[in-house]
C-alpha cells in the first residue's frame, strides 16, 4: 500500500480521466476499508501505519470515481464507531481534518453535472447520490466538534470559488451537497449560519439550465421551515426567484414556493398583492398542478390576515379560476372539462392550505364545535366562493358525474392534479366532500350550501349515481344539517339506493349511501329510526352483509349496531331477529379487523334476546357450524352458550379463520 502512495498522491492533485490502474487501486481500497472495519484503531494507535492508511484513503477519495466508491463505506464505519464510543476525541479530530475535506472535494470534483469521469448519466447520478451521503455522514460525525463548522466553512469556500469563477456546474454540485446536509438537519431548530450565504448564492446566480434550477429549488424547499426565522431576510427574494423559475422548472418551483409560504407566509403579508399580480401572469399559462401550487402559496400568505380579511383575500386569489366556469361550461368539450378540472385543483389546494398551512398531516377532520379556528376559516372561504359560482358549478358537476361510470375509489379519492376525465370526476367528488365539511364549519352560508349539496346529491342518486352521497355523509355530521337539509330528502334518497340494487347495481357502489346512513344514525339516533324507512334500510343492509369488503361492512355494522341498540318502536322483535339471523349467517366470512364490531353486536344480541340468540347459534345448519366436524361443532355450540367478553371475541375470530379455511378446526379445542 505504501509503495502506491507517492504516485497516487501525485495523481490525486490532477485526477486522470482514463485511470488504467483503477482496478488494482480499487482492490487495495477495499482492503484498506476492510482493515479499518476489522481493526479501527489502526487509524491512530500506530503512527506510521496510521499515516500510511489515512494518506492512502485520502488519495482514494480524490483519484477517480472508480476508486473512491470503494472507500465510501469508511464513513459509515467511523460513524458506527463514534456512536459506540470507540472513537476517541483526538483521533476523531485528526481524521475529520484529513479525510473530511477529501470526501467533500470528491463530490465537488466527480459529482459535477459536466463530469468527464462518468460513462453515462445513470452512473453519474449514482456517484452523486453516494458522494452526497458520504458528505452528510462526515458532517453528522463532526456534529458537536470544532471540526463541524470548519468543514462547513470548507464547503462554503468551494462554493464561493465556483461563484467567483462563474462555474455554474460547480455551484450546482455544492448546492446539492448543502441540500443533503440541510435534510439531515431537518429536526434541528436552526441551520448553520453558512446557509445564509448558500441561499444568497442561489439568488445571485444566473442559472438557467433546468437541472441546475432544480437543485437550487430543492435546496430552498429543504430550508423551508428556517425561512420563518434564520433565513427570514432572504425570504421574499427566495420566493421571487422561485416564481420566476416556474417557466424553467414548473412543478418543482411551484411546490417549493407553496411550501415556503406555508411555513413563513406571515412575513410576506405586505407582499401579497404584488405576488398575486405575478401569479396571475404565470399561473394561467401553467399546468393545473402548478396553478394550484402558486395559488396555494398565496393562500399560505393570506391565511395570516385577520379573520375579516381572509375570505375576500382568498376569493380574490381564486377569482380568475372561478371565471373559468362562469357563464356556462360545456363539459362535452375537452376544453370545458379542463377548465373545470383547473377550478377544482385551485379550490382544493387553496382551502387545504388555509386549513393546514405548513402542516403536512393532511386535511382536518373537525366539524362544528370540534372544528379548529383554521377549519372554520377555510370552511367560510370555500362556502363563500362556491355559493358565488354554484349556479354554474352544480349543473356541470351533475352532467359530469352522470356522463360516465365513476371509478371505484373515486368517492373517497384524493385530488388528482394531472388532468384526465377520471381525475376530473375524482376532483369534483373531493370538492363536494370538502364542501360538506365547509357547510358544517362556515361562519355564514352553511344552511344554503348544505341545501345545494343535498339537492345535487339527490338529483344524481335519482339517476342511479350514488357517488356524491359521500358528501352528505360528511354534511350529516352536523345535527342541524342532518335535520334541516338531509332529513326532508332522506326518503327519496333511500328509494334511489334501493332502486340501484334492484337494477343490478353492486353493493360496493352503495358505499356512499351506507356511509350516509351510518353518519345519520350517529347524529340523529332514534330520531332517524322514526322516518318510516327503517325496513328499506334493513333490507339494504342485509344484502350488504353478504359481502366481505371492509369499506362496505364498516358503515353497515355501525348503522345496525345503533339500530339494534335503539328503543325505537320501529325495531320490532321480528325485525331484530331478522337482522340477528343475517349477521349470524355471514359474520364468519368478514375480515378479522372487524372483530370489535362483531363483539358489540353479539353483546347486544345476548343482552336483548339471549334465548333467541342461543337458539340460532346452536343450530347445526348455521353456516359457521355446518363446515365443522361433529366434535368441533359441539365445542363451538358450547362456546356460544358460555363465552362472553374478550374470550368470546377471540373465539369468534378463530371460528372465522376455520370457516375461511385459514386455520384447522383443531384451533377450537382451546375453547373446550
Amino acid at each position: 500500500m505504501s509503495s502506491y502512495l507517492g504516485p497516487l498522491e501525485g495523481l490525486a492533485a490532477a485526477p486522470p480521466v482514463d485511470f488504467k490502474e483503477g482496478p488494482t487501486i480499487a482492490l487495495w481500497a477495499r482492503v484498506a476499508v476492510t482493515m479499518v472495519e476489522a481493526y479501527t484503531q489502526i487509524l491512530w494507535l500506530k503512527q506510521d501505519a496510521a499515516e500510511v492508511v489515512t494518506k492512502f484513503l485520502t488519495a482514494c477519495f480524490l483519484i477517480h470515481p472508480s476508486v473512491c466508491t470503494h472507500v465510501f463505506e469508511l464513513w459509515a464505519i467511523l460513524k458506527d464507531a463514534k456512536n459506540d464510543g470507540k472513537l476517541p476525541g483526538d483521533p476523531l479530530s485528526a481524521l475529520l481534518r484529513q479525510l473530511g475535506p477529501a470526501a467533500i472535494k470528491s463530490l465537488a470534483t466527480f459529482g459535477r453535472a459536466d463530469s468527464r469521469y462518468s460513462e453515462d448519466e445513470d452512473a453519474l447520478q449514482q456517484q452523486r447520490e453516494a458522494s452526497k451521503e458520504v458528505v452528510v455522514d462526515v458532517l453528522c460525525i463532526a456534529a458537536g466538534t470544532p471540526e463541524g463548522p470548519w468543514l462547513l466553512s470548507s464547503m462554503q469556500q468551494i462554493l464561493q470559488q465556483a461563484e467567483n469563477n462563474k462555474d455554474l456546474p460547480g455551484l450546482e454540485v455544492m448546492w446539492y451537497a448543502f441540500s443533503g446536509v440541510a435534510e439531515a438537519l431537518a429536526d434541528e431548530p436552526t441551520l448553520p449560519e453558512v446557509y445564509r450565504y448558500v441561499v444568497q448564492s442561489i439568488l445571485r446566480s444566473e442559472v438557467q439550465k433546468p437541472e441546475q434550477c432544480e437543485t437550487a429549488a430543492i435546496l430552498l424547499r429543504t430550508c423551508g421551515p428556517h425561512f420563518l426565522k434564520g433565513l427570514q431576510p432572504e425570504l421574499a427574494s427566495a420566493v421571487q426567484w422561485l416564481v420566476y423559475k416556474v417557466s424553467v422548472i414548473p412543478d418543482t418551483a411551484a411546490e417549493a414556493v407553496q411550501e415556503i409560504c406555508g411555513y413563513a407566509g406571515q412575513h410576506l403579508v405586505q407582499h401579497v398583492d404584488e405576488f398575486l399580480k405575478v401569479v396571475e401572469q404565470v399561473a394561467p399559462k401553467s399546468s393545473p398542478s402548478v396553478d394550484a401550487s402558486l395559488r396555494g402559496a398565496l393562500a399560505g400568505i393570506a391565511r395570516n390576515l385577520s379573520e375579516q380579511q381572509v375570505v375576500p383575500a382568498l376569493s380574490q386569489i381564486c377569482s380568475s379560476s372561478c371565471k373559468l366556469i362562469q357563464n356556462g361550461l360545456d363539459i362535452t368539450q375537452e376544453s370545458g372539462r379542463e377548465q373545470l378540472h383547473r377550478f377544482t385543483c385551485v379550490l382544493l389546494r387553496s382551502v387545504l392550505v388555509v386549513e393546514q398551512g405548513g402542516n403536512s398531516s393532511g386535511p382536518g377532520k373537525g366539524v362544528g364545535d370540534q372544528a379548529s379556528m383554521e377549519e372554520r376559516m377555510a370552511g367560510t372561504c370555500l362556502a363563500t366562493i362556491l355559493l358565488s359560482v354554484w349556479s354554474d358549478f352544480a349543473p356541470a358537476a351533475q352532467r359530469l358525474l352522470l356522463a360516465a361510470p365513476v371509478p371505484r375509489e373515486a368517492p373517497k379519492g384524493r385530488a388528482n392534479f394531472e388532468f384526465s376525465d377520471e381525475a376530473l370526476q375524482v376532483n369534483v367528488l373531493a370538492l363536494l366532500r370538502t364542501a360538506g365539511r365547509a357547510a358544517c364549519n362556515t361562519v355564514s352560508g352553511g344552511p344554503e350550501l348544505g341545501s345545494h349539496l343535498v339537492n345535487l346529491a339527490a338529483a344524481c342518486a335519482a339517476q342511479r349515481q350514488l357517488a356524491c352521497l359521500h358528501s352528505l355523509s360528511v354534511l350529516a355530521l352536523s345535527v342541524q344539517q342532518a335535520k334541516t337539509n338531509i332529513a326532508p330528502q332522506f326518503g327519496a334518497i333511500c328509494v334511489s339506493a334501493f332502486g340501484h340494487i334492484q337494477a343490478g347495481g353492486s353493493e360496493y357502489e352503495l358505499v356512499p349511501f351506507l356511509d350516509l346512513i351510518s353518519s345519520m344514525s350517529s347524529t340523529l339516533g332514534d330520531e332517524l329510526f322514526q322516518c318510516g324507512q327503517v325496513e328499506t334500510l334493513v333490507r339494504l343492509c342485509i344484502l350488504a352483509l353478504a359481502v366481505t369488503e371492509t369499506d362496505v361492512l364498516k358503515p353497515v355494522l355501525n348503522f345496525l349496531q345503533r339500530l339494534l341498540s335503539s328503543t325505537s318502536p320501529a325495531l320490532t322483535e321480528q325485525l331484530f331477529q331478522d337482522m340477528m339471523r343475517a349477521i349470524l349467517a355471514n359474520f364468519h366470512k368478514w375480515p378479522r379487523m372487524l372483530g370489535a364490531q362483531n363483539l358489540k353486536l353479539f353483546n347486544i344480541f345476548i343482552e336483548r334476546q339471549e334465548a333467541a340468540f342461543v337458539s340460532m347459534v346452536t343450530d347445526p345448519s348455521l353456516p359457521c357450524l355446518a363446515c365443522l366436524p361433529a366434535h368441533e361443532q359441539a365445542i363451538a355450540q358450547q362456546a356460544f352458550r358460555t363465552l362472553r367478553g374478550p374470550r368470546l371475541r377471540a373465539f369468534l375470530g378463530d371460528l372465522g379463520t376455520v370457516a375461511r379455511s385459514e386455520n384447522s378446526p383443531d384451533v377450537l379445542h382451546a375453547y373446550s
Side-chain angles (χ1 to χ4, degrees):
M1 190 179 295
S2 59
S3 64
Y4 283 105
L5 191 55
L8 286 181
E9 288 182 321
L11 291 172
V17 175
D18 184 15
F19 185 44
K20 296 180 181 179
E21 296 293 324
T24 301
I25 302 303
L27 180 61
W28 276 107
R30 288 198 296 272
V31 169
V33 171
T34 302
M35 189 163 49
V36 171
E37 183 176 19
Y39 184 53
T40 311
Q41 293 90 330
I42 196 174
L43 293 173
W44 66 84
L45 284 185
K46 295 184 178 181
Q47 185 174 355
D48 292 344
E51 184 176 353
V52 170
V53 173
T54 52
K55 285 185 176 181
F56 180 80
L57 289 170
T58 299
C60 287
F61 274 107
L62 300 173
I63 194 166
H64 196 271
S66 64
V67 176
C68 69
T69 54
H70 294 284
V71 294
F72 283 167
E73 190 182 350
L74 170 70
W75 288 104
I77 295 169
L78 294 178
K79 184 164 69 170
D80 289 342
K82 183 191 176 188
N83 293 339
D84 294 339
K86 298 178 180 178
L87 194 56
D90 290 342
L92 173 61
S93 176
L95 289 170
L96 287 171
R97 287 190 173 270
Q98 183 163 356
L99 292 171
I104 294 168
K105 188 176 178 182
S106 178
L107 173 58
T109 303
F110 303 132
R112 296 168 58 97
D114 61 351
S115 172
R116 302 171 299 154
Y117 297 93
S118 295
E119 297 177 357
D120 54 46
E121 183 67 23
D122 289 341
L124 175 59
Q125 290 304 319
Q126 291 176 9
Q127 175 73 26
R128 281 164 60 91
E129 182 64 30
S131 293
K132 182 178 75 171
E133 290 178 5
V134 168
V135 171
V136 171
D137 279 347
V138 171
L139 269 297
C140 287
I141 294 171
T145 71
E147 284 67 40
W150 179 76
L151 288 168
L152 284 170
S153 176
S154 70
M155 291 175 66
Q156 180 181 348
Q157 290 173 12
I158 297 173
L159 179 68
Q160 191 169 5
Q161 183 179 1
E163 186 176 18
N164 292 340
N165 294 337
K166 298 188 182 301
D167 176 10
L168 298 185
L171 274 174
E172 187 273 340
V173 73
M174 293 311 297
W175 292 338
Y176 182 71
F178 276 107
S179 178
V181 176
E183 190 174 347
L185 299 175
D187 295 330
E188 298 296 321
T190 60
L191 284 176
E193 183 65 23
V194 67
Y195 273 87
R196 286 201 61 190
Y197 178 86
V198 175
V199 170
Q200 290 167 4
S201 73
I202 293 175
L203 306 181
R204 290 191 296 264
S205 70
E206 299 177 358
V207 291
Q208 292 297 330
K209 290 185 177 181
E211 58 273 15
Q212 294 170 352
C213 295
E214 185 102 7
T215 300
I218 290 172
L219 174 55
L220 293 176
R221 182 176 182 175
T222 306
C223 295
H226 302 284
F227 282 102
L228 185 62
K229 292 183 180 179
L231 296 175
Q232 184 185 335
E234 285 72 41
L235 172 61
S237 298
V239 169
Q240 184 181 45
W241 186 90
L242 286 165
V243 171
Y244 285 126
K245 294 302 179 185
V246 165
S247 60
V248 183
I249 46 168
D251 289 298
T252 305
E255 289 169 5
V257 169
Q258 181 189 304
E259 192 157 330
I260 291 171
C261 290
Y263 284 120
Q266 66 195 66
H267 298 306
L268 293 170
V269 170
Q270 68 270 30
H271 301 289
V272 68
D273 291 332
E274 176 188 350
F275 188 12
L276 177 58
K277 291 178 183 178
V278 176
V279 169
E280 289 292 2
Q281 295 173 355
V282 174
K285 305 171 188 176
S286 306
S287 68
S289 62
V290 171
D291 192 349
S293 292
L294 290 174
R295 295 185 195 277
L298 284 164
I301 301 172
R303 71 192 294 270
N304 296 285
L305 297 168
S306 68
E307 289 189 45
Q308 294 75 24
Q309 294 174 305
V310 172
V311 174
L314 198 70
S315 297
Q316 181 64 27
I317 289 167
C318 298
S319 62
S320 62
S321 302
C322 291
K323 290 176 183 177
L324 293 173
I325 68 166
Q326 289 175 327
N327 304 319
L329 190 65
D330 185 3
I331 66 159
T332 63
Q333 301 296 317
E334 184 168 298
S335 59
R337 297 194 296 278
E338 287 176 343
Q339 288 177 313
L340 181 58
H341 178 258
R342 185 177 289 266
F343 168 78
T344 61
C345 289
V346 168
L347 253 66
L348 285 166
R349 181 65 63 82
S350 299
V351 170
L352 177 61
V353 171
V354 171
E355 195 174 77
Q356 294 293 318
N359 186 342
S360 60
S361 61
K365 299 296 182 183
V367 170
D369 294 339
Q370 302 299 315
S372 65
M373 181 185 72
E374 291 81 7
E375 288 170 334
R376 288 194 296 273
M377 188 184 299
T380 303
C381 289
L382 181 58
T384 302
I385 294 170
L386 271 182
L387 287 173
S388 71
V389 297
W390 190 263
S391 60
D392 295 297
F393 170 70
Q398 183 174 342
R399 287 195 298 271
L400 176 80
L401 294 174
L402 296 177
V406 170
R408 179 184 174 100
E409 304 298 332
K412 298 182 183 180
R414 298 182 63 179
N416 187 332
F417 295 91
E418 297 298 325
F419 173 74
S420 69
D421 289 340
E422 187 174 297
L424 177 54
Q425 287 185 320
V426 169
N427 283 15
V428 166
L429 292 170
L431 184 57
L432 292 174
R433 291 196 310 275
T434 308
R437 193 168 69 251
C440 299
N441 295 338
T442 180
V443 174
S444 61
E448 183 183 358
L449 180 57
S451 176
H452 285 325
L453 289 169
V454 173
N455 290 335
L456 174 59
C460 290
Q463 300 295 318
R464 292 183 52 200
Q465 179 51 270
L466 307 181
C468 55
L469 290 179
H470 192 67
S471 64
L472 302 194
S473 72
V474 179
L475 187 68
L477 297 175
S478 161
V479 175
Q480 180 184 1
Q481 294 283 1
K483 288 182 176 180
T484 306
N485 285 322
I486 300 177
Q489 298 205 51
F490 188 66
I493 292 172
C494 291
V495 171
S496 297
F498 195 71
H500 171 81
I501 290 296
Q502 287 181 317
S506 72
E507 288 83 357
Y508 196 90
E509 291 170 324
L510 270 183
V511 168
F513 174 74
L514 299 175
D515 285 334
L516 171 59
I517 65 173
S518 176
S519 293
M520 291 285 283
S521 65
S522 175
T523 303
L524 299 182
D526 281 5
E527 191 174 337
L528 174 67
F529 306 135
Q530 316 296 334
C531 70
Q533 299 294 328
V534 171
E535 288 196 17
T536 299
L537 294 176
V538 169
R539 290 171 66 188
L540 284 169
C541 287
I542 287 175
L543 288 172
L545 290 174
V547 305
T548 59
E549 296 180 79
T550 304
D551 286 347
V552 176
L553 291 169
K554 282 186 71 173
V556 170
L557 297 183
N558 286 338
F559 172 79
L560 292 179
Q561 180 188 329
R562 296 186 180 100
L563 176 57
L564 289 164
S565 302
S566 76
T567 57
S568 169
L571 182 63
T572 63
E573 182 177 339
Q574 183 60 48
L575 192 60
F576 187 102
Q577 292 186 9
D578 287 345
M579 288 187 282
M580 181 163 60
R581 188 174 292 107
I583 290 169
L584 294 177
N586 292 286
F587 80 92
H588 60 287
K589 298 182 293 185
W590 302 339
R592 191 156 191 164
M593 66 180 296
L594 298 175
Q597 288 174 287
N598 287 349
L599 180 62
K600 290 177 182 178
L601 290 168
F602 275 66
N603 286 340
I604 295 170
F605 299 155
I606 293 167
E607 179 183 340
R608 304 194 70 169
Q609 292 201 23
E610 184 171 10
F613 168 74
V614 171
S615 175
M616 289 183 191
V617 295
T618 55
D619 183 348
S621 65
L622 190 69
C624 64
L625 298 179
C627 63
L628 298 177
H631 180 58
E632 284 74 15
Q633 189 178 93
I635 293 174
Q637 290 169 326
Q638 183 61 22
F640 275 128
R641 292 189 189 97
T642 59
L643 294 182
R644 299 295 181 263
R647 285 282 287 168
L648 176 59
R649 177 177 176 176
F651 166 70
L652 295 176
D654 286 337
L655 183 60
T657 63
V658 175
R660 296 191 300 271
S661 300
E662 297 170 6
N663 218 330
S664 71
D666 292 347
V667 73
L668 301 179
H669 291 179
Y671 304 97
S672 60

